[in-house]
Amino acid sequence: MDEANQAFLVAMGYAQKQISWYEFFGLFKLILFRGAGALSIICAIFIAYFSATLGDNKATFFNFSKKNLITTLAILSALSVSLSGFFGWRAAWESHRIAQFQIEALVVETKIRKLELESDKDIAGIFILAKRLSQETARIVEEESSEYFTYIPNVSEGIKAPKMR
C-alpha cells in the first residue's frame, strides 16, 4: 500500500504544481489585462478634460503643456489597448483559469475515488488512479497550452519566403 500511496503523492504533486502555475500566471494576466484597461479609461478621461480646457487662459497643468499631455495620454492609451490585444491577456487569463479549475476538480474527484479504493483495499486501483490523475492533468495542460497559442498572433503568417532563383 505504501508504494501505491507514494505513486499517488507524486501524481498529486504534479497536479498541485500545475494548479500553482495557473494561479500565478492567471493572476498575472488578469492584472495586465485590468491594468491596461484601467490605464486606457483614465487616459481617455484626462484627454477629454484637457481638450475641453485647452482654450482656458492657463495652457499648462502642473507646468506641463496641455497639448503635450493630450499627445502623451493618447499614445499611452493606444499602447495599453494595443498591447493587451496583441498579447491576448484577457483570453490567456480566462484560459489559465479554466485549466486551473479543471485540474482542481480532477484533484477533488481523485481524492474521493482514492478513499473508495482504500476502503476496498484496492492497491492496483490506486496505482491506476495515480496514473489517470497524471495523464488527465497533462492532457488539460496540453489542451490549454495549444489553445493559448491560438490567441497570440503569428507574425510570420504575413511574411512570405523569398523565391529561390
Side-chain angles (χ1 to χ4, degrees):
M1 188 66 123
D2 286 342
E3 293 87 5
N5 283 329
Q6 286 177 343
F8 186 79
L9 289 175
V10 168
M12 276 301 228
Y14 172 62
Q16 290 298 333
K17 182 178 175 185
Q18 296 305 318
I19 290 169
S20 295
W21 189 94
Y22 283 121
E23 283 177 340
F24 176 78
F25 285 100
L27 179 62
F28 182 67
K29 301 287 172 51
L30 172 65
I31 290 169
L32 288 172
F33 168 64
R34 296 286 189 200
L39 179 63
S40 179
I41 291 168
I42 291 168
C43 286
I45 290 168
F46 278 105
I47 288 169
Y49 170 74
F50 291 137
S51 296
T53 62
L54 199 55
D56 291 353
N57 292 338
K58 192 172 182 186
T60 60
F61 184 77
F62 290 107
N63 295 326
F64 293 103
S65 163
K66 286 184 182 178
K67 287 183 179 182
N68 289 342
L69 284 172
I70 290 170
T71 303
T72 303
L73 291 170
I75 290 169
L76 272 174
S77 179
L79 273 174
S80 67
V81 169
S82 299
L83 289 173
S84 182
F86 181 77
F87 289 111
W89 290 330
R90 176 184 177 192
W93 161 61
E94 291 171 350
S95 178
H96 291 351
R97 293 293 286 171
I98 290 168
Q100 176 191 337
F101 295 152
Q102 287 174 334
I103 297 171
E104 287 173 347
L106 179 64
V107 165
V108 169
E109 175 188 325
T110 302
K111 285 179 179 179
I112 292 169
R113 180 73 181 124
K114 182 180 182 257
L115 292 173
E116 291 174 1
L117 293 171
E118 283 178 340
S119 70
D120 295 341
K121 301 197 185 319
D122 185 356
I123 296 171
I126 294 173
F127 276 111
I128 293 168
L129 186 65
K131 182 178 178 181
R132 181 181 158 268
L133 175 60
S134 295
Q135 289 173 338
E136 284 297 305
T137 300
R139 182 193 59 75
I140 291 168
V141 169
E142 182 181 339
E143 188 177 287
E144 190 277 334
S145 296
S146 63
E147 183 179 315
Y148 170 74
F149 287 111
T150 63
Y151 295 121
I152 297 177
N154 186 353
V155 292
S156 65
E157 282 179 358
I159 302 172
K160 304 252 189 227
K163 291 184 180 179
M164 301 297 274
R165 294 183 191 201

